[in-house]
Amino acid sequence: MTEAARSGEFVQSLERGLAVIRAFDAEHPQLTLSEVARSTGLTRAAARRFLLTLVELGYVHTDGRLFSLRPRILDLGYAYLSSLSLPEIAQPHLEALVAQVHESCSVSVLDGDQVVYVARVPTKRIMTVGISVGTRFPAYATSMGRVLLAAQPAGWLDDYLAAARLRPLTRRTITDPAKLRTTLTRIAVQGYAIVDQELEEGLRSLAAPIHADDGSVVAAVNVSAHASRGSFEMIRKELLPPLLATARRIEEDLAAGPRR
């Protein structure tokens, strides 16, 4: 948002209140007032006002020292999820794919430079970080993220690659913008992405795009497997065909209209 727009209609207090909520995550489920202030860049007095307001509204719990989110915070995300037909349409297809390949499957959408999980059917846990609906990962290091990035307009992608901070999450992570651009070009042509241990060591993931009626890519579906399942080529051969078939079935149901 431009400074001109911010000066007129931008509500900075709302931005700060949302920053306080985002300070909590899986690694920081409980925070002190000082920790919230440090994480958000707010003064202790401002952080205290926002936290106590959230407590009063039922979104945050406190024992007097530590603060944590309450289940009511899910209402904020549910309004978005309930407006989508995609998660409910995709869910039975994910369940069928998991039953077929015996690996975890997910659907995500692009939000800025991150992927956000909107549907998931897990099997065994193969990552050190737990994944659930709402989990976010950097798009550049994930198979679903690369499928979604590869579908973006050229100008948007230019801006993304110019500004993206491509951190090495593992020794295999692509961190060179030019190399990532080449990879995304290939993904756009072949219609799927395979990421080999770039997000986490030992994790391989394949993803395919989910298209809307107009041909635009609205989401991505993936299947993840531990590297111990077999060679890279074996995993591609076993998992890619059922994954692509699942993507097509989800697209067919999306075209048929939302299920309620």
Side-chain angles (χ1 to χ4, degrees), residues 233-250:
E233 180 57 29
M234 182 183 298
I235 289 178
R236 187 195 68 80
K237 185 177 180 180
E238 291 181 355
L239 300 182
L240 183 58
L243 174 67
L244 294 175
T246 296
R248 287 194 298 270
R249 286 191 285 267
I250 294 174

mmCIF file with all atom_site columns, all heavy atoms in Angstrom, residues 233-250:
data_model
loop_
_atom_site.group_PDB
_atom_site.id
_atom_site.type_symbol
_atom_site.label_atom_id
_atom_site.label_alt_id
_atom_site.label_comp_id
_atom_site.label_asym_id
_atom_site.label_entity_id
_atom_site.label_seq_id
_atom_site.pdbx_PDB_ins_code
_atom_site.Cartn_x
_atom_site.Cartn_y
_atom_site.Cartn_z
_atom_site.occupancy
_atom_site.B_iso_or_equiv
_atom_site.pdbx_formal_charge
_atom_site.auth_seq_id
_atom_site.auth_comp_id
_atom_site.auth_asym_id
_atom_site.auth_atom_id
_atom_site.pdbx_PDB_model_num
ATOM 1   N N   . GLU A 1 233 ? 13.361  -40.875 -8.625  1.00 0.00 ? 233 GLU A N   1
ATOM 2   C CA  . GLU A 1 233 ? 12.620  -41.269 -9.814  1.00 0.00 ? 233 GLU A CA  1
ATOM 3   C C   . GLU A 1 233 ? 11.487  -42.234 -9.469  1.00 0.00 ? 233 GLU A C   1
ATOM 4   O O   . GLU A 1 233 ? 10.400  -42.173 -10.054 1.00 0.00 ? 233 GLU A O   1
ATOM 5   C CB  . GLU A 1 233 ? 13.566  -41.918 -10.829 1.00 0.00 ? 233 GLU A CB  1
ATOM 6   C CG  . GLU A 1 233 ? 12.889  -42.364 -12.114 1.00 0.00 ? 233 GLU A CG  1
ATOM 7   C CD  . GLU A 1 233 ? 12.179  -41.233 -12.835 1.00 0.00 ? 233 GLU A CD  1
ATOM 8   O OE1 . GLU A 1 233 ? 12.610  -40.072 -12.711 1.00 0.00 ? 233 GLU A OE1 1
ATOM 9   O OE2 . GLU A 1 233 ? 11.176  -41.514 -13.531 1.00 0.00 ? 233 GLU A OE2 1
ATOM 10  N N   . MET A 1 234 ? 11.708  -43.115 -8.502  1.00 0.00 ? 234 MET A N   1
ATOM 11  C CA  . MET A 1 234 ? 10.666  -44.060 -8.105  1.00 0.00 ? 234 MET A CA  1
ATOM 12  C C   . MET A 1 234 ? 9.479   -43.331 -7.487  1.00 0.00 ? 234 MET A C   1
ATOM 13  O O   . MET A 1 234 ? 8.324   -43.635 -7.786  1.00 0.00 ? 234 MET A O   1
ATOM 14  C CB  . MET A 1 234 ? 11.229  -45.078 -7.108  1.00 0.00 ? 234 MET A CB  1
ATOM 15  C CG  . MET A 1 234 ? 10.223  -46.140 -6.656  1.00 0.00 ? 234 MET A CG  1
ATOM 16  S SD  . MET A 1 234 ? 10.926  -47.261 -5.429  1.00 0.00 ? 234 MET A SD  1
ATOM 17  C CE  . MET A 1 234 ? 12.254  -47.985 -6.407  1.00 0.00 ? 234 MET A CE  1
ATOM 18  N N   . ILE A 1 235 ? 9.771   -42.344 -6.638  1.00 0.00 ? 235 ILE A N   1
ATOM 19  C CA  . ILE A 1 235 ? 8.699   -41.570 -6.013  1.00 0.00 ? 235 ILE A CA  1
ATOM 20  C C   . ILE A 1 235 ? 7.918   -40.803 -7.075  1.00 0.00 ? 235 ILE A C   1
ATOM 21  O O   . ILE A 1 235 ? 6.689   -40.754 -7.039  1.00 0.00 ? 235 ILE A O   1
ATOM 22  C CB  . ILE A 1 235 ? 9.283   -40.622 -4.945  1.00 0.00 ? 235 ILE A CB  1
ATOM 23  C CG1 . ILE A 1 235 ? 9.771   -41.435 -3.736  1.00 0.00 ? 235 ILE A CG1 1
ATOM 24  C CG2 . ILE A 1 235 ? 8.252   -39.579 -4.515  1.00 0.00 ? 235 ILE A CG2 1
ATOM 25  C CD1 . ILE A 1 235 ? 10.413  -40.606 -2.658  1.00 0.00 ? 235 ILE A CD1 1
ATOM 26  N N   . ARG A 1 236 ? 8.621   -40.222 -8.028  1.00 0.00 ? 236 ARG A N   1
ATOM 27  C CA  . ARG A 1 236 ? 7.934   -39.506 -9.105  1.00 0.00 ? 236 ARG A CA  1
ATOM 28  C C   . ARG A 1 236 ? 7.042   -40.451 -9.902  1.00 0.00 ? 236 ARG A C   1
ATOM 29  O O   . ARG A 1 236 ? 5.888   -40.125 -10.208 1.00 0.00 ? 236 ARG A O   1
ATOM 30  C CB  . ARG A 1 236 ? 8.963   -38.846 -10.038 1.00 0.00 ? 236 ARG A CB  1
ATOM 31  C CG  . ARG A 1 236 ? 8.342   -37.931 -11.092 1.00 0.00 ? 236 ARG A CG  1
ATOM 32  C CD  . ARG A 1 236 ? 9.328   -37.600 -12.196 1.00 0.00 ? 236 ARG A CD  1
ATOM 33  N NE  . ARG A 1 236 ? 9.629   -38.786 -12.983 1.00 0.00 ? 236 ARG A NE  1
ATOM 34  C CZ  . ARG A 1 236 ? 8.841   -39.255 -13.940 1.00 0.00 ? 236 ARG A CZ  1
ATOM 35  N NH1 . ARG A 1 236 ? 7.710   -38.645 -14.246 1.00 0.00 ? 236 ARG A NH1 1
ATOM 36  N NH2 . ARG A 1 236 ? 9.184   -40.337 -14.595 1.00 0.00 ? 236 ARG A NH2 1
ATOM 37  N N   . LYS A 1 237 ? 7.543   -41.618 -10.221 1.00 0.00 ? 237 LYS A N   1
ATOM 38  C CA  . LYS A 1 237 ? 6.792   -42.572 -11.022 1.00 0.00 ? 237 LYS A CA  1
ATOM 39  C C   . LYS A 1 237 ? 5.560   -43.085 -10.295 1.00 0.00 ? 237 LYS A C   1
ATOM 40  O O   . LYS A 1 237 ? 4.489   -43.269 -10.897 1.00 0.00 ? 237 LYS A O   1
ATOM 41  C CB  . LYS A 1 237 ? 7.696   -43.746 -11.406 1.00 0.00 ? 237 LYS A CB  1
ATOM 42  C CG  . LYS A 1 237 ? 7.049   -44.747 -12.346 1.00 0.00 ? 237 LYS A CG  1
ATOM 43  C CD  . LYS A 1 237 ? 8.037   -45.827 -12.741 1.00 0.00 ? 237 LYS A CD  1
ATOM 44  C CE  . LYS A 1 237 ? 7.397   -46.841 -13.677 1.00 0.00 ? 237 LYS A CE  1
ATOM 45  N NZ  . LYS A 1 237 ? 8.362   -47.918 -14.063 1.00 0.00 ? 237 LYS A NZ  1
ATOM 46  N N   . GLU A 1 238 ? 5.672   -43.307 -8.978  1.00 0.00 ? 238 GLU A N   1
ATOM 47  C CA  . GLU A 1 238 ? 4.563   -43.859 -8.207  1.00 0.00 ? 238 GLU A CA  1
ATOM 48  C C   . GLU A 1 238 ? 3.520   -42.815 -7.836  1.00 0.00 ? 238 GLU A C   1
ATOM 49  O O   . GLU A 1 238 ? 2.318   -43.110 -7.804  1.00 0.00 ? 238 GLU A O   1
ATOM 50  C CB  . GLU A 1 238 ? 5.089   -44.511 -6.928  1.00 0.00 ? 238 GLU A CB  1
ATOM 51  C CG  . GLU A 1 238 ? 5.904   -45.773 -7.142  1.00 0.00 ? 238 GLU A CG  1
ATOM 52  C CD  . GLU A 1 238 ? 6.377   -46.364 -5.833  1.00 0.00 ? 238 GLU A CD  1
ATOM 53  O OE1 . GLU A 1 238 ? 6.145   -45.731 -4.763  1.00 0.00 ? 238 GLU A OE1 1
ATOM 54  O OE2 . GLU A 1 238 ? 6.990   -47.447 -5.852  1.00 0.00 ? 238 GLU A OE2 1
ATOM 55  N N   . LEU A 1 239 ? 3.954   -41.596 -7.548  1.00 0.00 ? 239 LEU A N   1
ATOM 56  C CA  . LEU A 1 239 ? 3.045   -40.606 -6.964  1.00 0.00 ? 239 LEU A CA  1
ATOM 57  C C   . LEU A 1 239 ? 2.509   -39.575 -7.954  1.00 0.00 ? 239 LEU A C   1
ATOM 58  O O   . LEU A 1 239 ? 1.422   -39.022 -7.745  1.00 0.00 ? 239 LEU A O   1
ATOM 59  C CB  . LEU A 1 239 ? 3.739   -39.883 -5.806  1.00 0.00 ? 239 LEU A CB  1
ATOM 60  C CG  . LEU A 1 239 ? 4.210   -40.763 -4.648  1.00 0.00 ? 239 LEU A CG  1
ATOM 61  C CD1 . LEU A 1 239 ? 4.829   -39.893 -3.551  1.00 0.00 ? 239 LEU A CD1 1
ATOM 62  C CD2 . LEU A 1 239 ? 3.064   -41.588 -4.078  1.00 0.00 ? 239 LEU A CD2 1
ATOM 63  N N   . LEU A 1 240 ? 3.266   -39.274 -8.990  1.00 0.00 ? 240 LEU A N   1
ATOM 64  C CA  . LEU A 1 240 ? 2.829   -38.207 -9.899  1.00 0.00 ? 240 LEU A CA  1
ATOM 65  C C   . LEU A 1 240 ? 1.539   -38.540 -10.650 1.00 0.00 ? 240 LEU A C   1
ATOM 66  O O   . LEU A 1 240 ? 0.627   -37.693 -10.689 1.00 0.00 ? 240 LEU A O   1
ATOM 67  C CB  . LEU A 1 240 ? 3.947   -37.862 -10.880 1.00 0.00 ? 240 LEU A CB  1
ATOM 68  C CG  . LEU A 1 240 ? 3.644   -36.701 -11.837 1.00 0.00 ? 240 LEU A CG  1
ATOM 69  C CD1 . LEU A 1 240 ? 3.306   -35.431 -11.062 1.00 0.00 ? 240 LEU A CD1 1
ATOM 70  C CD2 . LEU A 1 240 ? 4.824   -36.468 -12.785 1.00 0.00 ? 240 LEU A CD2 1
ATOM 71  N N   . PRO A 1 241 ? 1.390   -39.710 -11.267 1.00 0.00 ? 241 PRO A N   1
ATOM 72  C CA  . PRO A 1 241 ? 0.134   -39.981 -12.002 1.00 0.00 ? 241 PRO A CA  1
ATOM 73  C C   . PRO A 1 241 ? -1.126  -39.873 -11.134 1.00 0.00 ? 241 PRO A C   1
ATOM 74  O O   . PRO A 1 241 ? -2.081  -39.194 -11.546 1.00 0.00 ? 241 PRO A O   1
ATOM 75  C CB  . PRO A 1 241 ? 0.350   -41.409 -12.534 1.00 0.00 ? 241 PRO A CB  1
ATOM 76  C CG  . PRO A 1 241 ? 1.826   -41.533 -12.658 1.00 0.00 ? 241 PRO A CG  1
ATOM 77  C CD  . PRO A 1 241 ? 2.377   -40.803 -11.478 1.00 0.00 ? 241 PRO A CD  1
ATOM 78  N N   . PRO A 1 242 ? -1.174  -40.483 -9.931  1.00 0.00 ? 242 PRO A N   1
ATOM 79  C CA  . PRO A 1 242 ? -2.389  -40.305 -9.121  1.00 0.00 ? 242 PRO A CA  1
ATOM 80  C C   . PRO A 1 242 ? -2.583  -38.871 -8.641  1.00 0.00 ? 242 PRO A C   1
ATOM 81  O O   . PRO A 1 242 ? -3.720  -38.413 -8.475  1.00 0.00 ? 242 PRO A O   1
ATOM 82  C CB  . PRO A 1 242 ? -2.189  -41.262 -7.940  1.00 0.00 ? 242 PRO A CB  1
ATOM 83  C CG  . PRO A 1 242 ? -0.739  -41.569 -7.905  1.00 0.00 ? 242 PRO A CG  1
ATOM 84  C CD  . PRO A 1 242 ? -0.253  -41.471 -9.312  1.00 0.00 ? 242 PRO A CD  1
ATOM 85  N N   . LEU A 1 243 ? -1.486  -38.137 -8.445  1.00 0.00 ? 243 LEU A N   1
ATOM 86  C CA  . LEU A 1 243 ? -1.606  -36.736 -8.041  1.00 0.00 ? 243 LEU A CA  1
ATOM 87  C C   . LEU A 1 243 ? -2.237  -35.913 -9.156  1.00 0.00 ? 243 LEU A C   1
ATOM 88  O O   . LEU A 1 243 ? -3.157  -35.114 -8.912  1.00 0.00 ? 243 LEU A O   1
ATOM 89  C CB  . LEU A 1 243 ? -0.231  -36.173 -7.697  1.00 0.00 ? 243 LEU A CB  1
ATOM 90  C CG  . LEU A 1 243 ? -0.193  -34.666 -7.397  1.00 0.00 ? 243 LEU A CG  1
ATOM 91  C CD1 . LEU A 1 243 ? -0.942  -34.355 -6.108  1.00 0.00 ? 243 LEU A CD1 1
ATOM 92  C CD2 . LEU A 1 243 ? 1.249   -34.176 -7.313  1.00 0.00 ? 243 LEU A CD2 1
ATOM 93  N N   . LEU A 1 244 ? -1.774  -36.081 -10.384 1.00 0.00 ? 244 LEU A N   1
ATOM 94  C CA  . LEU A 1 244 ? -2.333  -35.340 -11.515 1.00 0.00 ? 244 LEU A CA  1
ATOM 95  C C   . LEU A 1 244 ? -3.800  -35.692 -11.737 1.00 0.00 ? 244 LEU A C   1
ATOM 96  O O   . LEU A 1 244 ? -4.623  -34.822 -12.054 1.00 0.00 ? 244 LEU A O   1
ATOM 97  C CB  . LEU A 1 244 ? -1.525  -35.627 -12.780 1.00 0.00 ? 244 LEU A CB  1
ATOM 98  C CG  . LEU A 1 244 ? -0.076  -35.120 -12.786 1.00 0.00 ? 244 LEU A CG  1
ATOM 99  C CD1 . LEU A 1 244 ? 0.644   -35.573 -14.045 1.00 0.00 ? 244 LEU A CD1 1
ATOM 100 C CD2 . LEU A 1 244 ? -0.023  -33.610 -12.645 1.00 0.00 ? 244 LEU A CD2 1
ATOM 101 N N   . ALA A 1 245 ? -4.131  -36.971 -11.543 1.00 0.00 ? 245 ALA A N   1
ATOM 102 C CA  . ALA A 1 245 ? -5.523  -37.389 -11.692 1.00 0.00 ? 245 ALA A CA  1
ATOM 103 C C   . ALA A 1 245 ? -6.400  -36.746 -10.626 1.00 0.00 ? 245 ALA A C   1
ATOM 104 O O   . ALA A 1 245 ? -7.542  -36.339 -10.897 1.00 0.00 ? 245 ALA A O   1
ATOM 105 C CB  . ALA A 1 245 ? -5.622  -38.908 -11.613 1.00 0.00 ? 245 ALA A CB  1
ATOM 106 N N   . THR A 1 246 ? -5.881  -36.631 -9.416  1.00 0.00 ? 246 THR A N   1
ATOM 107 C CA  . THR A 1 246 ? -6.631  -35.992 -8.332  1.00 0.00 ? 246 THR A CA  1
ATOM 108 C C   . THR A 1 246 ? -6.863  -34.516 -8.637  1.00 0.00 ? 246 THR A C   1
ATOM 109 O O   . THR A 1 246 ? -7.958  -33.992 -8.405  1.00 0.00 ? 246 THR A O   1
ATOM 110 C CB  . THR A 1 246 ? -5.868  -36.139 -7.004  1.00 0.00 ? 246 THR A CB  1
ATOM 111 O OG1 . THR A 1 246 ? -5.783  -37.527 -6.660  1.00 0.00 ? 246 THR A OG1 1
ATOM 112 C CG2 . THR A 1 246 ? -6.571  -35.393 -5.881  1.00 0.00 ? 246 THR A CG2 1
ATOM 113 N N   . ALA A 1 247 ? -5.849  -33.846 -9.148  1.00 0.00 ? 247 ALA A N   1
ATOM 114 C CA  . ALA A 1 247 ? -6.000  -32.432 -9.509  1.00 0.00 ? 247 ALA A CA  1
ATOM 115 C C   . ALA A 1 247 ? -7.096  -32.257 -10.545 1.00 0.00 ? 247 ALA A C   1
ATOM 116 O O   . ALA A 1 247 ? -7.921  -31.331 -10.449 1.00 0.00 ? 247 ALA A O   1
ATOM 117 C CB  . ALA A 1 247 ? -4.682  -31.874 -10.026 1.00 0.00 ? 247 ALA A CB  1
ATOM 118 N N   . ARG A 1 248 ? -7.150  -33.144 -11.528 1.00 0.00 ? 248 ARG A N   1
ATOM 119 C CA  . ARG A 1 248 ? -8.183  -33.050 -12.565 1.00 0.00 ? 248 ARG A CA  1
ATOM 120 C C   . ARG A 1 248 ? -9.581  -33.260 -11.973 1.00 0.00 ? 248 ARG A C   1
ATOM 121 O O   . ARG A 1 248 ? -10.534 -32.567 -12.350 1.00 0.00 ? 248 ARG A O   1
ATOM 122 C CB  . ARG A 1 248 ? -7.916  -34.074 -13.665 1.00 0.00 ? 248 ARG A CB  1
ATOM 123 C CG  . ARG A 1 248 ? -6.734  -33.721 -14.564 1.00 0.00 ? 248 ARG A CG  1
ATOM 124 C CD  . ARG A 1 248 ? -6.738  -34.569 -15.822 1.00 0.00 ? 248 ARG A CD  1
ATOM 125 N NE  . ARG A 1 248 ? -6.599  -35.992 -15.517 1.00 0.00 ? 248 ARG A NE  1
ATOM 126 C CZ  . ARG A 1 248 ? -5.437  -36.628 -15.420 1.00 0.00 ? 248 ARG A CZ  1
ATOM 127 N NH1 . ARG A 1 248 ? -4.308  -35.956 -15.577 1.00 0.00 ? 248 ARG A NH1 1
ATOM 128 N NH2 . ARG A 1 248 ? -5.401  -37.923 -15.178 1.00 0.00 ? 248 ARG A NH2 1
ATOM 129 N N   . ARG A 1 249 ? -9.702  -34.202 -11.054 1.00 0.00 ? 249 ARG A N   1
ATOM 130 C CA  . ARG A 1 249 ? -11.016 -34.461 -10.453 1.00 0.00 ? 249 ARG A CA  1
ATOM 131 C C   . ARG A 1 249 ? -11.478 -33.283 -9.600  1.00 0.00 ? 249 ARG A C   1
ATOM 132 O O   . ARG A 1 249 ? -12.668 -32.941 -9.588  1.00 0.00 ? 249 ARG A O   1
ATOM 133 C CB  . ARG A 1 249 ? -10.964 -35.750 -9.633  1.00 0.00 ? 249 ARG A CB  1
ATOM 134 C CG  . ARG A 1 249 ? -10.938 -37.015 -10.488 1.00 0.00 ? 249 ARG A CG  1
ATOM 135 C CD  . ARG A 1 249 ? -11.163 -38.257 -9.649  1.00 0.00 ? 249 ARG A CD  1
ATOM 136 N NE  . ARG A 1 249 ? -9.987  -38.599 -8.872  1.00 0.00 ? 249 ARG A NE  1
ATOM 137 C CZ  . ARG A 1 249 ? -9.037  -39.441 -9.275  1.00 0.00 ? 249 ARG A CZ  1
ATOM 138 N NH1 . ARG A 1 249 ? -9.111  -39.996 -10.478 1.00 0.00 ? 249 ARG A NH1 1
ATOM 139 N NH2 . ARG A 1 249 ? -8.006  -39.715 -8.503  1.00 0.00 ? 249 ARG A NH2 1
ATOM 140 N N   . ILE A 1 250 ? -10.554 -32.651 -8.893  1.00 0.00 ? 250 ILE A N   1
ATOM 141 C CA  . ILE A 1 250 ? -10.911 -31.465 -8.115  1.00 0.00 ? 250 ILE A CA  1
ATOM 142 C C   . ILE A 1 250 ? -11.378 -30.353 -9.052  1.00 0.00 ? 250 ILE A C   1
ATOM 143 O O   . ILE A 1 250 ? -12.369 -29.663 -8.786  1.00 0.00 ? 250 ILE A O   1
ATOM 144 C CB  . ILE A 1 250 ? -9.722  -30.992 -7.255  1.00 0.00 ? 250 ILE A CB  1
ATOM 145 C CG1 . ILE A 1 250 ? -9.401  -32.031 -6.177  1.00 0.00 ? 250 ILE A CG1 1
ATOM 146 C CG2 . ILE A 1 250 ? -10.036 -29.637 -6.600  1.00 0.00 ? 250 ILE A CG2 1
ATOM 147 C CD1 . ILE A 1 250 ? -8.148  -31.714 -5.379  1.00 0.00 ? 250 ILE A CD1 1
#
